[in-house]
Amino acid sequence: MSDFLVQALRYNRWANLQLLDVCSSLSDEQLELSSPGTYGTISATWLHIVGAEERYLRRLVDFQPRLEGGSFPGIAALKQHAADTGDALIAAAATVDPDGTSTARDEWAPKHWLVMVQAIHHGNDHRTHICTILGQNGIDYGGLDVWAFGDSNDGYVKC
C-alpha cells in the first residue's frame, strides 16, 4: 500500500501512545469518567480502541487478539498493546494487497483497504471521545492533531 497510508497509520499509533501517556497519570476514579455522547468510560473506550485494532489485524494478517472479552488490564498494558498493534498495522500496510480479503468470518469479507481506513477512522473517533471526557473534566490532553504529529516527526520543510 502507499506511503501515505503508512504515514496515516504512523499518526494513528503516535496519537494512541500520546493520549495513553496522558491517561497514565489518571487515577482509577478518573479512568471511570464518562460523558454523554461518548463510547463510555475512558477505560472502556481504550479497551475498545486497542481491542478493535487487534481484530482488524486478524482480518489482515495472522494475528491473534489478546484482549478479546477481557477486563481492563491497565493503561501500561494497553500502551504496550497499542504499540504492538500500531507497529503491526504499519507493517501490514507494506505487505497486504489493498483489494485482497481475509478468510471470511462473516457473510461479508471486507477488502483490506477498507479495514485499514476503518482502523484510522475508528482511532480518531474514539480518541475524540476520550478527549471530550478529559476536557469536560478540566484535564489537559495536549495536542493530538496531525499538525502536532508533523511537528514531532519532521513533517515540515523550510521554504
Side-chain angles (χ1 to χ4, degrees):
M1 291 194 187
S2 78
D3 288 338
F4 290 112
L5 178 60
V6 168
Q7 291 302 328
L9 290 164
R10 285 185 64 228
Y11 162 72
N12 185 70
R13 180 187 187 278
W14 174 87
N16 280 343
L17 298 179
Q18 291 291 115
L19 191 53
L20 280 160
D21 277 345
V22 170
C23 292
S24 70
S25 66
L26 300 179
S27 67
D28 290 343
E29 181 178 274
Q30 289 172 312
L31 288 171
E32 295 310 307
L33 292 171
S34 188
S35 181
T38 64
Y39 177 82
T41 66
I42 293 171
S43 61
T45 304
W46 272 123
L47 190 58
H48 176 70
I49 292 169
V50 181
E53 285 192 357
E54 290 184 339
R55 292 186 297 278
Y56 301 144
L57 283 162
R58 182 177 58 201
R59 290 190 176 273
L60 295 166
V61 295
D62 186 24
F63 190 93
Q64 294 303 312
R66 300 182 309 245
L67 293 175
E68 263 184 344
S71 58
F72 182 68
I75 293 295
L78 282 178
K79 187 172 180 185
Q80 185 58 58
H81 282 283
D84 293 347
T85 58
D87 289 342
L89 283 166
I90 292 164
T95 61
V96 300
D97 172 12
D99 289 321
T101 62
S102 62
T103 304
R105 289 174 171 70
D106 306 308
E107 183 178 345
W108 297 95
K111 291 186 176 182
H112 291 151
W113 70 261
L114 182 61
V115 176
M116 287 288 196
V117 172
Q118 170 61 16
I120 295 164
H121 165 73
H122 186 260
N124 281 331
D125 190 31
H126 289 300
R127 282 190 305 272
T128 298
H129 290 175
I130 293 169
C131 291
T132 296
I133 297 166
L134 294 172
Q136 288 183 343
N137 287 279
I139 302 167
D140 183 36
Y141 50 86
L144 294 175
D145 62 13
V146 176
W147 301 116
F149 172 69
D151 269 347
S152 67
N153 287 278
D154 199 29
Y156 292 92
V157 294
K158 184 166 175 69
C159 298

